[in-house]
Amino acid sequence: MNSPPFLRFTTVTGYFHQDDPATDPDSFDYVKSNFGLIEKQYDEHLGVEQIDSQWRRFDAHIKRLNASDTKKLKVLFLGRHGEGIHNVAERKYGTKKWDDYWSLQDGDEDGIWVDARLTDQGRCQARVAHAAWEQQIEAGIPSPESYYVSPLNRCLETAQITFQGLGIPGADPFRPTIKELLRETMGQHTCDRRSTASEIAEEYPEYRFEAEFPEEDKLWDPEVRESNEHRNDRLRALLNDIFAHDESTYISLTAHSGAITSTLEVLGHRRFPLVTGAVIPVLVSVEKGAPSQPESQSS
């Protein structure tokens, strides 16, 4: 198989509140803010200002730019999974004891967190995301044309609850593509060791695996924890693969805190931590080019 061409991708700022340094991640509510879309008019002569929906104006603006520019703009909807059993355990023991001992165990008397599953609260957070998407669909948000999901169970279930039954293209039935590289920081922590492909397929029969997805988890190492730099390289490779093979403008990725942190970093987006279940959209410019450090650009 030929390697995909190197692509340069950078965040385009000025469209979402989350890329504004004045927006506080700790208090920002994606549900109450239309996913963060900034209300604005666009300087163009296509009657965009006559469109009654801010999301439809945004979509018309993006289509105009994509029709006339060598760069292609894409919108990533990055969703973090709902609360998992491992999240509860870390709060219970504290981060230091969790990192030093408990994260290396399979579980405790309260549950097993190998390939951690959602808690009831985590499922509730996914239902909140589902309702938020319903609201935004009514407001004219462009539906994702492609859906990608981490192979870890907490993401598989979060994505299903979030998108199944929305009645939009690609989500009825919901058949996302499982991407091996879209995982949490890998190694040591048992919550980040995935199930076999057969077990995943049995529980989520309508989900699709990317090509050459291995039966066994070959990436998780019980002795070595992945560094932030290596995680960044992994997510950069994932984005390069998606952008090289997927022509979609609107793309959904359901992933993890660490994976989303690295995605934002390699895109040149400001750091914006997400609580469990939250969503952040990012406008990205994609073009062929030589490797370079990420940099954001303003609208």
Side-chain angles (χ1 to χ4, degrees), residues 76-80 146-149 182 235 238-239 242 251-255 260 263:
L76 302 183
F77 293 105
L78 307 174
R80 184 183 175 190
S146 299
Y147 299 84
Y148 298 100
V149 62
L182 192 55
L235 270 299
L238 172 78
L239 291 174
I242 290 175
I251 300 173
S252 167
L253 295 93
T254 304
I260 292 172
T263 298

Side-chain angles (χ1 to χ4, degrees), residues 83-93 119:
E83 179 190 73
I85 295 172
H86 64 305
N87 299 128
V88 175
E90 182 175 355
R91 290 198 302 269
K92 172 182 174 181
Y93 292 110
T119 63

Side-chain angles (χ1 to χ4, degrees), residues 249-270:
T249 299
Y250 299 96
I251 300 173
S252 167
L253 295 93
T254 304
H256 310 262
S257 175
I260 292 172
T261 294
S262 283
T263 298
L264 295 179
E265 186 166 340
V266 301
L267 290 173
H269 192 284
R270 65 180 287 240

Side-chain angles (χ1 to χ4, degrees), residues 5 9 30 32 38 52 86 94 96 98 104 124-125 146 165 169 173 183 190 204 227 260 262 266 268 291:
F9 28 84
Y30 81 98
K32 296 180 180 179
I38 295 173
D52 61 357
H86 64 305
K96 180 171 174 43
W98 170 258
L104 312 180
C124 179
Q125 291 169 339
S146 299
R183 292 168 61 171
T190 60
Y204 298 93
S227 69
I260 292 172
S262 283
V266 301

Side-chain angles (χ1 to χ4, degrees), residues 2-291:
N2 294 330
S3 299
F6 178 83
L7 299 175
R8 177 182 171 84
F9 28 84
T10 56
T11 296
V12 182
T13 61
Y15 292 88
F16 297 101
H17 289 291
Q18 292 94 322
D19 55 52
D20 183 349
T23 302
D24 181 5
D26 293 334
S27 60
F28 187 77
D29 188 332
Y30 81 98
V31 175
K32 296 180 180 179
S33 63
N34 294 330
F35 285 11
L37 183 65
I38 295 173
E39 291 280 337
K40 62 189 298 182
Q41 298 295 324
Y42 299 99
D43 184 21
E44 48 203 23
H45 304 286
L46 292 177
V48 172
E49 67 280 355
Q50 302 301 319
I51 301 175
D52 61 357
S53 162
Q54 183 63 45
W55 273 115
R56 293 190 182 96
R57 287 198 294 272
F58 171 81
D59 184 40
H61 175 70
I62 297 302
K63 286 178 178 176
R64 182 187 71 84
L65 294 178
N66 276 341
S68 61
D69 201 329
T70 56
K71 302 176 184 178
K72 291 302 178 183
L73 296 176
K74 296 178 180 289
V75 178
L76 302 183
F77 293 105
L78 307 174
R80 184 183 175 190
H81 64 78
E83 179 190 73
I85 295 172
H86 64 305
N87 299 128
V88 175
E90 182 175 355
R91 290 198 302 269
K92 172 182 174 181
Y93 292 110
T95 298
K96 180 171 174 43
K97 289 184 178 180
W98 170 258
D99 287 338
D100 291 346
Y101 178 78
W102 286 105
S103 66
L104 312 180
Q105 311 307 309
D106 288 352
D108 64 8
E109 69 276 6
D110 292 325
I112 301 298
W113 51 69
V114 175
D115 192 3
R117 291 177 173 268
L118 295 181
T119 63
D120 289 341
Q121 174 64 16
R123 295 183 183 93
C124 179
Q125 291 169 339
R127 287 192 289 271
V128 169
H130 179 94
W133 272 102
E134 280 187 322
Q135 182 181 32
Q136 293 308 310
I137 289 168
E138 291 181 2
I141 192 172
S143 301
E145 302 158 277
S146 299
Y147 299 84
Y148 298 100
V149 62
S150 159
L152 295 175
N153 192 281
R154 54 194 183 271
C155 285
L156 299 172
E157 185 174 9
T158 294
Q160 184 180 66
I161 295 171
T162 299
F163 293 108
Q164 186 72 55
L166 284 178
I168 56 178
D172 192 17
F174 182 53
R175 298 188 65 206
T177 299
I178 301 172
K179 301 288 282 186
E180 182 77 297
L181 296 184
L182 192 55
R183 292 168 61 171
E184 185 55 289
T185 309
M186 291 185 292
Q188 295 188 318
H189 294 196
T190 60
C191 58
D192 302 324
R193 187 174 77 220
R194 72 164 171 83
S195 303
T196 66
S198 296
E199 290 168 334
I200 294 171
E202 182 177 0
E203 190 164 2
Y204 298 93
E206 293 185 328
Y207 284 24
R208 295 174 290 195
F209 292 97
E210 65 180 336
E212 302 179 4
F213 188 91
E215 170 68 11
E216 302 292 336
D217 185 352
K218 298 180 179 180
L219 298 181
W220 186 84
D221 188 326
E223 302 296 331
V224 180
R225 184 75 169 160
E226 183 181 35
S227 69
N228 290 344
E229 291 75 16
H230 287 161
R231 191 183 65 202
N232 284 358
D233 290 342
R234 171 164 57 89
L235 270 299
R236 185 179 291 108
L238 172 78
L239 291 174
N240 200 78
D241 173 47
I242 290 175
F243 292 149
H245 298 105
D246 191 334
E247 297 296 323
S248 301
T249 299
Y250 299 96
I251 300 173
S252 167
L253 295 93
T254 304
H256 310 262
S257 175
I260 292 172
T261 294
S262 283
T263 298
L264 295 179
E265 186 166 340
V266 301
L267 290 173
H269 192 284
R270 65 180 287 240
R271 180 175 172 79
F272 200 93
L274 298 184
V275 298
T276 48
V279 177
I280 180 173
V282 183
L283 180 62
V284 182
S285 171
V286 180
E287 61 180 325
K288 293 182 179 179

